[in-house]
Amino acid sequence: MSEIKNSGYSGSALRLLQSANCQVGDIIRITYKTNTYEGVLIPRGESGDTTNIIVKLKNGYNVGISATVEGINVEKIGVGIKPMFASPLLPEQNSVLPHVVIMSTGGTIASRVDYRTGAVRSAISASDLYGVVPELSKIARVDTEIVFSTYSENLTPKNWTDLAQKVAERINQGIDGVVIAHGTDTMGYTSAALSFALQNLPVPVIFVGAQRSSDRPSSDAATNLIGAVRAASEAPFAEVGLAMHETISDSAIVVHRGVRVRKCHTSRRDAFKSINDFPIARVLDQKIIMQKDDYQHRDPTRQLVLKTNFCEKVALIKFYPGMDPSIIDYYVSQGFRGILLEGSGLGHVSIFCFEAIKNAIAKGVIVALSSQCIWGRVNIDIYDTGRDLLNFGVVPLDDMFPETGLVKLMWVLGQTSDLKESKRLLKTNIAGEFTSRSLPQEKIVYGAQ
Ligand code: ASP
């Protein structure tokens, strides 16, 4: 079977197209029951849909046909013109505006299908950006840099290190703010990673993504990007933030703290929520409205401190009823240096796992604990089984939710191999990742509003 280049297809759609030897741009015929569709095979701009094949018909309309319908047949009936992108002209840069760099790592925000020609772009260039979002030239002088070009589920801690170093280079050259365009799936992990890696920031570093790609009328890419560039250019804070829709409407963009934010919905535009915290700021009518007063102020003279090492030998293990404790033994036998346990409720793990946990700690593995409830804090002082975990040496991570706990443990073990120092760092607030007292319950937003 031949490979289909830059198609964006996966799953059953990909298999069917491969078996018919089709490439993007080819003229194909799809038949099932009494239906026949002929047209140009168009690439997909987003991940997620594994069944639909998109065909541009002769009348100019695109149709999506499911590869799973009974009796479907695909044939290649001609070789079409391969798709091309026409880049729009760059508008003039206004030299008095703040200087911002948009670094692109890939994901939906950076992919675009040109339905006229069928081309798909998985990276952002300066002219593409201005073409899609011309308003940016009124907010900032924007440079762009492609750092990676992949969906965020493919990124690893090594990418976090590279990205942090690239951001640091730009900051040390005197940029006024950084925007990082990123796939939404693991954007919260990367924003947490950079919050630990980039300390003492002088200017804001703002992550941004999109739930719908910019070729779709319902896209959130432009509004999110405008909000992020506005925050990077003008916000009074110098922290890692993540800017996305506040609600499903386009009215406001909200900037969450990089260590306190989680993707909580698969498809809604307001998928990202601050967990156990308030967002830092809102961008409403192109104005930044601060929501917190405990933030690090922008100060271009502040000297950035870079700590970019992450240890990959760290596992996140979710406890569940009937969990086989040999799962813990497995990681210990594989030389893992840290385990983040996602306990139930206040932070519980079955007594059947106790031996495995004790053994891991005795072998020098740091075992930390968060709650799979996501909201709230672990408190293992209350029941005696929790107190047992404390006595074994398990480190409870207060109100840090598991993904940030995992990234922090990776970062801590990337800084030191000393057990005492690791525990000290885990319990030290580095980037606002936990609070020792919870906020008033009624003020915390959880679930979709
Ligand atoms: N799976 C994609 C990614 O995280 C979805 C997106 O781009 O938002 O890269």
Side-chain angles (χ1 to χ4, degrees):
M1 272 186 212
S2 62
E3 192 203 342
I4 309 187
K5 293 199 190 83
N6 302 326
S7 73
Y9 285 103
S10 59
S12 49
L14 178 67
R15 284 193 293 279
L16 191 61
L17 291 169
Q18 278 178 324
S19 64
N21 210 8
C22 300
Q23 291 291 336
V24 162
D26 284 347
I27 303 165
I28 63 170
R29 179 184 297 134
I30 300 187
T31 48
Y32 62 91
K33 292 188 189 148
T34 54
N35 303 297
T36 301
Y37 296 96
E38 281 181 15
V40 178
L41 177 64
I42 296 284
R44 294 205 59 97
E46 296 176 45
S47 67
D49 181 342
T50 54
T51 53
N52 282 308
I53 295 174
I54 314 292
V55 176
K56 184 173 195 60
L57 303 176
K58 281 197 199 104
N59 61 14
Y61 284 105
N62 299 325
V63 283
I65 303 148
S66 171
T68 57
V69 291
E70 220 183 288
I72 188 159
N73 182 56
V74 176
E75 323 159 57
K76 175 168 159 179
I77 54 174
V79 180
I81 304 160
K82 292 296 168 225
M84 280 170 51
F85 249 100
S87 287
L89 290 175
L90 279 177
E92 246 174 60
Q93 301 261 25
N94 182 340
S95 60
V96 298
L97 292 175
H99 194 188
V100 164
V101 60
I102 300 179
M103 295 185 155
S104 171
T105 65
T108 298
I109 189 159
S111 56
R112 184 153 77 96
V113 174
D114 183 332
Y115 283 117
R116 191 175 44 82
T117 61
V120 70
R121 270 282 169 97
S122 60
I124 287 183
S125 72
S127 52
D128 285 341
L129 266 179
Y130 284 126
V132 179
V133 196
E135 298 90 328
L136 292 182
S137 63
K138 306 231 158 31
I139 304 173
R141 283 176 290 146
V142 179
D143 288 353
T144 57
E145 181 173 342
I146 296 167
V147 185
F148 318 117
S149 193
T150 187
Y151 287 115
S152 71
E153 55 270 30
N154 303 324
L155 297 176
T156 71
K158 288 193 186 60
N159 297 118
W160 302 341
T161 302
D162 290 348
L163 182 60
Q165 283 165 350
K166 292 255 164 59
V167 171
E169 267 168 39
R170 290 296 187 135
I171 289 177
N172 291 335
Q173 286 160 7
I175 202 92
D176 296 313
V178 178
V179 170
I180 300 173
H182 198 288
T184 55
D185 286 12
T186 70
M187 182 156 68
Y189 292 81
T190 311
S191 69
L194 264 62
S195 306
F196 297 123
L198 300 168
Q199 296 187 5
N200 225 23
L201 272 174
V203 296
V205 173
I206 309 292
F207 280 80
V208 67
Q211 291 282 77
R212 323 256 162 89
S213 62
S214 54
D215 47 274
R216 291 171 57 171
S218 64
S219 177
D220 50 341
T223 28
N224 289 343
L225 200 54
I226 292 169
V229 171
R230 179 70 71 186
S233 319
E234 293 169 16
F237 61 85
E239 295 192 24
V240 175
L242 186 154
M244 289 291 281
H245 270 58
E246 182 176 48
T247 65
I248 52 170
S249 93
D250 275 340
S251 53
I253 298 304
V254 74
V255 186
H256 306 271
R257 190 165 260 163
V259 276
R260 293 294 240 173
V261 60
R262 188 175 189 277
K263 185 174 181 179
C264 294
H265 199 282
T266 54
S267 56
R268 283 173 64 127
R269 293 143 152 250
D270 60 346
F272 283 82
K273 298 290 173 207
S274 281
I275 310 290
N276 294 327
D277 204 354
F278 309 126
I280 313 181
R282 297 171 77 215
V283 185
L284 184 67
D285 298 331
Q286 293 311 314
K287 298 215 166 44
I288 316 264
I289 305 161
M290 293 307 294
Q291 305 292 294
K292 290 171 88 62
D293 26 61
D294 62 329
Y295 57 85
Q296 175 161 274
H297 287 253
R298 184 192 277 269
D299 175 2
T301 63
R302 192 181 294 124
Q303 194 51 48
L304 174 70
V305 175
L306 249 191
K307 295 189 174 172
T308 62
N309 276 359
F310 292 89
C311 168
E312 294 194 28
K313 285 281 187 194
V314 176
L316 175 59
I317 305 180
K318 189 182 195 114
F319 163 73
Y320 52 90
M323 179 181 133
D324 184 341
S326 62
I327 293 172
I328 298 173
D329 300 334
Y330 167 79
Y331 285 107
V332 176
S333 71
Q334 294 300 304
F336 274 61
R337 295 177 52 211
I339 292 177
L340 194 280
L341 282 175
E342 223 184 272
S344 57
L346 290 167
H348 298 126
V349 178
S350 157
I351 47 170
F352 302 120
C353 295
F354 280 12
E355 273 316 301
I357 293 172
K358 272 200 277 184
N359 175 51
I361 294 171
K363 296 237 164 74
V365 177
I366 299 278
V367 181
L369 182 76
S370 290
S371 172
Q372 55 195 253
C373 291
I374 309 294
W375 272 274
R377 68 178 53 246
V378 286
N379 186 347
I380 52 178
D381 281 327
I382 295 184
Y383 298 97
D384 52 351
T385 47
R387 284 198 293 270
D388 285 339
L389 290 177
L390 271 181
N391 292 336
F392 302 156
V394 169
V395 187
L397 295 185
D398 295 274
D399 63 348
M400 229 186 292
F401 61 94
E403 293 92 327
T404 289
L406 173 81
V407 174
K408 183 163 183 191
L409 190 50
M410 288 174 156
W411 178 79
V412 164
L413 294 175
Q415 309 307 304
T416 177
S417 44
D418 181 79
L419 290 180
K420 227 165 129 203
E421 176 61 3
S422 305
K423 286 191 183 171
R424 190 193 67 78
L425 278 177
L426 266 179
K427 293 303 254 179
T428 306
N429 211 337
I430 308 286
E433 66 275 17
F434 66 87
T435 50
S436 36
R437 283 195 47 222
S438 296
L439 294 165
Q441 291 295 320
E442 67 279 6
K443 296 213 171 146
I444 297 291
V445 173
Y446 56 130
Q449 291 171 309

